[in-house]
Amino acid sequence: MYTSAQQAAPVRMTVYPILIAISMGHLLNDAMQAVVPALFPILESSMNLSYMQIGWIAFTLNMTSSVLQPVVGLFTDRRPSPYFLPLGMAASLLGMVGLALAPSFLFVLLSVLLVGLGSAVFHPEGARVVYFAAGERRGFAQSIYQVGGNTGNALAPLFTALVFVPFGQKGAGWFTMVALLGIMILSRVSRWYSHKLEQREKDRAQKTAVKLEGQERRRVLFALILLIFLVFTRSWYSAGISNYYQFYLTQYYHISIREAQLYLFIFMIAGAIGTFVGGPLADRFGKKNLMLFSTVGTAPFALLLPHLPLGWALPALFLAGFILSLSFSTFVVYAQELLPGNVGMASGLIVGLAFGMGALGAVVLGKIADTYTLKSLMWMCSFLPLLGVLTYWLPKDKGRSAALGH
């Protein structure tokens, strides 16, 4: 069984330089993803895009990475590929060039496709590097890794205000330098990762140790489906805020696009802080407990947000973003414990498929905004965190044997 395999494994030390380096790579990767929503106000104006077309851009970005991440993860579980890390960054570099020069909506979609492909290639191998470097502090290590990505995403409003408002669409060209820096950092991480793979043959041993039969398999499948659904609903709420709240602010509170970016930045940077804090809390209080608190605890602030005066919106956004993101890294670690022999696929299912499928919400929410109003959209989004009560039915998380009820 898995627990005996764990007991037989030597205690591993946490490799902080690698965790910091892969977190920095995650930050740079997700910063380039953040360029896409940061361009939304510019593209909406310059190309006369509808809210639904904006939703299709977000959908293309996230669906590319979401569909491919578990596929890449399954492939690399069988054949780990350290140099996928800088290769993914190279694909994003090409996407930045395309966005800077895109003359039409279709060309924007093709460029965004490259950025999504780069993300899909990066994330599963990045998660495996974290797994190897984590030692016994998996929640904390995953937080270090994920806070890089969340911080990169949080920069989107600043990119809009500081780069794209003054320089327009061509400002995306500056991010080719970000991609080059990422390639250099991830090339060094890949060398460490390659040496680590030469020293270890544990993946194959774990796969033989975790074969499931009968009731065990059904329980793991139930837990995984419920986990993906919970992440899916969280993603729909985040999509509503990150893609459309800026338009809500400009339309109903009559503030400028530049001013609206501050509100998005507060929500996103609160998410980065919450991600960092959440990992150690999960290690201490349990993953299921933290996931339940995080999802349900967001609901009061989400429900209040559409009805608050502008002065109260900032603290409500901060608290909603902070509490919601406490469990961000915990969902990944929980999935890895359910599928310990398939770390890449587990990470791809949560970070990729579940979060990316949530981007389907960007299209649906855009259609709602076009058909009804932005106020109706915000009102509907505010109820999504209430679905977090379903976390109660997840199995306990004391390793996989506990998750299976043993």
Side-chain angles (χ1 to χ4, degrees):
M1 294 301 297
Y2 171 62
T3 51
S4 62
Q6 271 190 320
Q7 291 165 357
V11 175
R12 297 178 296 149
M13 299 295 292
T14 304
V15 187
Y16 290 103
I18 294 299
L19 286 177
I20 292 170
I22 195 66
S23 180
M24 179 60 68
H26 200 185
L27 186 155
L28 298 175
N29 178 84
D30 284 24
M32 283 185 291
Q33 282 189 268
V35 166
V36 178
L39 274 169
F40 284 168
I42 307 304
L43 296 175
E44 187 231 3
S45 175
S46 64
M47 295 186 180
N48 296 314
L49 302 183
S50 69
Y51 291 132
M52 190 171 182
Q53 284 178 305
I54 289 171
W56 275 115
I57 296 173
F59 177 80
T60 300
L61 173 67
N62 290 286
M63 279 298 292
T64 304
S65 61
S66 71
V67 170
L68 290 180
Q69 268 196 54
V71 175
V72 173
L74 182 60
F75 173 80
T76 56
D77 282 333
R78 297 174 180 176
R79 296 184 60 185
S81 306
Y83 290 95
F84 270 20
L85 293 168
L87 284 174
M89 196 66 70
S92 294
L93 187 153
L94 294 176
M96 291 300 104
V97 174
L99 283 172
L101 303 176
S104 65
F105 174 65
L106 180 60
F107 206 96
V108 169
L109 289 181
L110 292 174
S111 302
V112 166
L113 199 69
L114 282 170
V115 179
L117 176 63
S119 180
V121 171
F122 167 81
H123 278 100
E125 286 299 80
R128 193 189 311 279
V129 169
V130 175
Y131 189 81
F132 282 160
E136 300 302 310
R137 305 191 66 187
R138 288 186 183 171
F140 180 60
Q142 192 65 225
S143 286
I144 292 175
Y145 174 60
Q146 296 295 352
V147 78
N150 278 24
T151 304
N153 280 317
L155 296 175
L158 297 185
F159 294 160
T160 302
L162 302 178
V163 179
F164 297 120
V165 168
F167 297 108
Q169 184 181 335
K170 291 184 179 178
W174 289 100
F175 292 90
T176 56
M177 292 186 288
V178 173
L180 289 171
L181 176 61
I183 289 170
M184 289 189 291
I185 292 173
L186 293 176
S187 294
R188 300 193 67 172
V189 172
S190 294
R191 287 195 289 272
W192 177 88
Y193 178 22
S194 182
H195 292 317
K196 195 72 174 176
L197 290 172
E198 291 173 4
Q199 297 167 10
R200 299 176 59 128
E201 295 281 338
K202 287 190 176 180
D203 276 356
R204 194 170 299 173
Q206 283 181 336
K207 286 179 185 178
T208 60
V210 296
K211 289 181 179 179
L212 302 176
E213 294 181 1
Q215 189 176 8
E216 293 180 350
R217 181 178 297 173
R218 287 192 294 272
R219 289 181 181 180
V220 167
L221 183 62
F222 168 78
L224 199 58
I225 291 172
L226 180 54
L227 197 68
I228 290 172
F229 177 77
L230 288 166
V231 179
F232 183 93
T233 58
R234 292 171 80 256
S235 298
W236 275 53
Y237 180 71
S238 293
I241 298 297
S242 60
N243 291 318
Y244 299 109
Y245 191 65
Q246 58 188 314
F247 300 114
Y248 179 76
L249 287 169
T250 57
Q251 183 171 331
Y252 289 97
Y253 293 97
H254 308 294
I255 63 176
S256 69
I257 289 175
R258 188 188 289 266
E259 290 175 300
Q261 305 314 305
L262 171 64
Y263 291 80
L264 285 190
F265 177 72
I266 290 297
F267 177 76
M268 292 179 176
I269 202 66
I273 297 169
T275 297
F276 185 73
V277 172
L281 290 178
D283 287 338
R284 182 170 182 180
F285 297 107
K287 301 173 189 66
K288 178 181 173 180
N289 291 335
L290 184 69
M291 289 188 288
L292 181 60
F293 170 77
S294 173
T295 48
V296 176
T298 304
F301 304 101
L303 290 166
L304 285 171
L305 184 61
H307 312 289
L308 291 173
L310 187 61
W312 286 98
L314 272 179
L317 277 170
F318 180 87
L319 290 170
F322 177 80
I323 297 172
L324 186 68
S325 293
L326 285 172
S327 59
F328 187 91
S329 59
T330 307
F331 275 96
V332 178
V333 177
Y334 189 98
Q336 289 175 343
E337 289 188 355
L338 286 172
L339 300 171
N342 295 95
V343 174
M345 187 177 72
S347 302
L349 283 170
I350 299 304
V351 180
L353 184 59
F355 279 104
M357 284 298 287
L360 176 62
V363 178
V364 176
L365 297 175
K367 180 64 176 177
I368 292 170
D370 284 333
T371 304
Y372 301 100
T373 63
L374 283 169
K375 187 178 284 289
S376 299
L377 170 64
M378 289 296 113
W379 181 82
M380 293 175 69
C381 284
S382 68
F383 287 90
L384 289 171
L386 289 173
L387 293 171
V389 297
L390 297 175
T391 307
Y392 178 80
W393 282 274
L394 283 173
K396 295 180 181 179
D397 55 89
K398 296 178 181 177
R400 211 188 86 191
S401 59
L404 298 176
H406 290 178

